[in-house]
């Protein structure tokens, strides 16, 4: 085998470059990539640890969704409480004294909200509706 010096040319008896161990390179297309990813994920999901991880992730997402729903309900109830409390400011003192000790009870809050909402829809006075 001949040694090539800088600036010189290789003699005609020099060996050509050795073929690559990887073989000829094939240009990857998007379809090949998608198919390979699909195959990879199908094989991956067959593994028991992958199934467990996926199930754990789904449970966590469900917990987050339920937590957000509960938080939204709590914020909605707080807004309703504020609106009812503002409407009660216009009520007579005797009505306030009757409602104040039980206002924190959830069913009382719900009932007062229903009455308030009905009064808003029918354009009636909330304080007058409570007296009747």
């Amino acid at each position: 085998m001949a040694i090539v010096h800088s600036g010189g040319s290789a003699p005609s008896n020099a060996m050509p470059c050795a073929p690559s161990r990887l073989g000829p390179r094939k240009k990857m297309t998007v379809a090949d990539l998608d198919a390979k990813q699909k195959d990879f994920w199908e094989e991956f999901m067959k593994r028991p640890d992958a199934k467990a991880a996926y199930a754990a992730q789904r449970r966590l997402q469900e917990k987050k969704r339920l937590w957000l729903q509960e938080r939204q309900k709590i914020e909605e109830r707080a807004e309703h409480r504020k609106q009812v409390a503002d409407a009660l400011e216009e009520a007579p003192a005797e009505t306030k004294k009757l409602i104040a000790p039980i206002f924190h009870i959830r069913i009382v809050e719900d009932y007062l909200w229903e009455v308030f909402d009905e009064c808003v829809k029918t354009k009636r006075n909330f304080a007058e509706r409570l007296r009747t």
Side-chain angles (χ1 to χ4, degrees):
M1 180 152 68
I3 299 176
V4 177
H5 297 284
S6 64
S9 62
S12 61
N13 63 356
M15 296 190 65
C17 293
S20 171
R21 290 184 189 186
L22 300 175
R25 302 237 177 207
K26 179 182 174 191
K27 189 172 185 178
M28 296 289 289
T29 64
V30 175
D32 292 337
L33 189 60
D34 288 342
K36 288 186 178 191
Q37 285 181 348
K38 183 180 176 188
D39 292 342
F40 168 78
W41 287 112
E42 285 175 359
E43 285 297 318
F44 181 75
M45 288 307 290
K46 289 179 184 176
R47 296 174 34 191
D49 58 333
K51 287 181 183 179
Y54 182 71
Q57 183 182 12
R58 293 288 305 256
R59 283 192 302 272
L60 181 62
Q61 288 175 345
E62 182 65 18
K63 282 182 181 180
K64 285 180 182 179
R65 186 185 64 77
L66 291 173
W67 180 81
L68 286 172
Q69 285 178 346
E70 188 66 28
R71 181 176 174 195
Q72 183 180 10
K73 287 179 186 177
I74 290 170
E75 289 174 356
E76 186 177 299
R77 291 178 68 82
E79 184 62 32
H80 291 174
R81 247 190 332 272
K82 288 177 187 176
Q83 291 177 1
V84 170
D86 290 342
L88 280 172
E89 289 296 320
E90 300 170 7
E94 61 190 41
T95 306
K96 290 182 199 176
K97 285 181 184 178
L98 289 173
I99 294 176
I102 59 172
F103 187 65
H104 69 279
I105 300 171
R106 185 171 285 183
I107 191 132
V108 174
E109 287 179 20
D110 290 342
Y111 175 73
L112 289 173
W113 170 251
E114 288 176 16
V115 171
F116 176 76
D117 193 41
E118 175 191 327
C119 289
V120 169
K121 288 178 182 174
T122 59
K123 298 179 181 175
R124 292 179 64 192
N125 187 349
F126 180 63
E128 288 298 318
R129 174 69 173 88
L130 286 178
R131 280 199 259 188
T132 59

